[in-house]
Amino acid sequence: MLNSQAEGAGSRPPLVTRPLLLRFVSIIGASTSFYLLLSVVPLYAEAAGGGHGSAAGLTTGALMLATVGGELATPRFVARFGYRLVLAAGLVLLGAPAFALSASGSPVWITAVCVLRGLGFAFTVVAGGALTASLIPAGRRGEGLALVGIVSGVPSLVALPLGVWLAAHVGYGPVFAAGAVAALAAVVSVPGLPDREPASERAIGVTAGLRTAALSRPTLVFAATALAAGILVTFLPLAVPSASAGVVAAALFAQSAASTAARWVAGRHGDRHGPAVLLLPGLVAAAAGTLLTALTHSPVAVVVGVTLFGIGFGITQNATLTLMYARVPASGYGTVSALWNFAFDAGMGVGAVGFGILAGRTGYPAAFALTAALMLTALVPARRDRRTEGSRA
């Protein structure tokens, strides 16, 4: 009996391998470079533009638009050139243009740099995400993706506030240089990574992926939760009374911590019982948390609501991505990575823009409540996906 148990325990493939550790280097480099400059570049553009604010919005908009467009195009590059070349190109595009930011304060110049960096970031997350999936054993994919989420999440938590602090204390130039070096230094890890193996299956295009219900349903569910994520990060500081600034900081920290923990728990649970069963509870938890946040004058409701949203968001992050990778051959990993990241970035962007218009007419509490109701429309694809998965079982 003891021998059989030992064999069962030993039969689990190792999760952390040398290639995955090398991949962590490029994850940390890309995440650090992106988030270190994410808030600093708009500040620089606003200062150079005389403080009118339009230049700041233009730089962020250009960055995210280029990222979304690049995410949709990257699977074609991966299919033609492989993981390593596209990942290395992404790191170079993300890093090298940052050196040029100090050359001019012109909005056109800064925006052009942001477009290049957005394309670079898209290459790193899509090609890198597909490569990462190939490095994780299928039986431990949920747990592995949760670990990858932690590795990429910690640099973002540190680099985002650090960039603003450094800009205020040492100036923009050194911060731009640090962001460039973080990405470029990671290029040295790429040759040690495995490349895409020739696949007998034809690669799945992004358009075909969107038409495939097995991929589009989880994409819609995740986009619904990402919608609220963009809203909370952007508008919670404005919706909560100014006297409760500490509440906002605590709530956003709790959301990030809860999301990270939930991704890990969801990954381990999904590996044992299947990720499809987690879509409904994750979505419901995220919507319930968003609804509770509508009580903006109650500090307890805000903290609990945002934390509950974080739990639901973390669950859907892990469950949707794990489920989508499980439904395609290795040749489809690039498409899955593109669709998932597109849902993330487009959902956050659309949510922030739409909520701003809605809140201007209804007020923040009603807008949060309506957002929760909108999120629940994703119950339709979530329930259909669960029934489909159950019938396959």
Side-chain angles (χ1 to χ4, degrees):
M1 183 68 175
L2 290 175
N3 287 338
S4 64
Q5 289 178 344
E7 289 173 4
S11 65
R12 295 188 77 197
L15 181 60
V16 180
T17 59
R18 182 179 181 276
L20 188 60
L21 288 174
L22 280 174
R23 172 65 186 124
F24 286 168
V25 174
S26 55
I27 289 174
I28 292 171
S31 184
T32 300
S33 177
F34 183 80
Y35 286 101
L36 194 66
L37 303 189
L38 185 59
S39 293
V40 172
V41 172
L43 288 174
Y44 174 67
E46 186 174 355
H52 298 297
S54 58
L58 181 63
T59 60
T60 301
L63 178 73
M64 297 313 299
L65 185 62
T67 298
V68 170
E71 286 167 351
L72 296 178
T74 302
R76 290 189 178 184
F77 295 125
V78 170
R80 182 170 182 178
F81 301 109
Y83 295 136
R84 288 187 302 203
L85 184 58
V86 178
L87 177 58
L91 290 168
V92 171
L93 282 173
L94 182 61
F99 281 122
L101 279 167
S102 299
S104 172
S106 165
V108 175
W109 179 263
I110 298 171
T111 300
V113 171
C114 288
V115 168
L116 291 176
R117 296 190 74 242
L119 290 173
F121 188 63
F123 290 173
T124 65
V125 296
V126 175
L131 172 59
T132 302
S134 71
L135 300 177
I136 299 173
R140 305 186 68 182
R141 185 169 286 137
E143 186 178 0
L145 291 175
L147 178 61
V148 171
I150 294 172
V151 171
S152 63
V154 170
S156 67
L157 287 174
V158 174
L160 190 59
L162 180 62
V164 176
W165 185 88
L166 286 173
H169 288 80
V170 302
Y172 292 110
V175 182
F176 296 155
V181 170
L184 294 175
V187 175
V188 300
S189 68
V190 175
L193 294 169
D195 209 353
R196 181 179 58 86
E197 297 180 1
S200 57
E201 310 92 347
R202 184 179 178 182
I204 303 170
V206 172
T207 303
L210 286 171
R211 291 199 301 259
T212 304
L215 297 181
S216 63
R217 287 192 299 258
T219 299
L220 288 172
V221 172
F222 181 53
T225 57
L227 187 89
I231 290 169
L232 288 172
V233 170
T234 305
F235 289 99
L236 192 66
L238 302 174
V240 173
S242 56
S244 302
V247 172
V248 173
L252 292 178
F253 178 81
Q255 185 267 328
S256 179
S259 178
T260 300
R263 286 186 75 171
W264 179 259
V265 174
R268 292 181 64 87
H269 185 278
D271 286 342
R272 289 161 175 77
H273 307 286
V277 299
L278 297 173
L279 292 186
L280 280 173
L283 178 60
V284 170
T290 304
L291 179 61
L292 191 57
T293 306
L295 302 174
T296 54
H297 285 79
S298 170
V300 174
V302 169
V303 173
V304 173
V306 174
T307 302
L308 182 57
F309 168 80
I311 293 171
F313 187 50
I315 292 172
T316 55
Q317 276 185 299
N318 187 278
T320 52
L321 187 57
T322 304
L323 191 63
M324 292 167 71
Y325 277 130
R327 290 176 172 175
V328 298
S331 60
Y333 287 174
T335 294
V336 166
S337 182
L339 290 176
W340 191 86
N341 281 287
F342 172 75
F344 198 164
D345 295 327
M348 290 188 70
V350 170
V353 173
F355 187 89
I357 297 172
L358 179 63
R361 300 187 177 189
T362 67
Y364 290 116
F368 278 119
L370 290 171
T371 299
L374 179 62
M375 293 169 67
L376 289 177
T377 61
L379 285 172
V380 175
R383 292 184 65 181
R384 187 170 299 171
D385 201 273
R386 186 169 182 173
R387 287 198 301 267
T388 302
E389 193 73 13
S391 64
R392 289 175 181 171

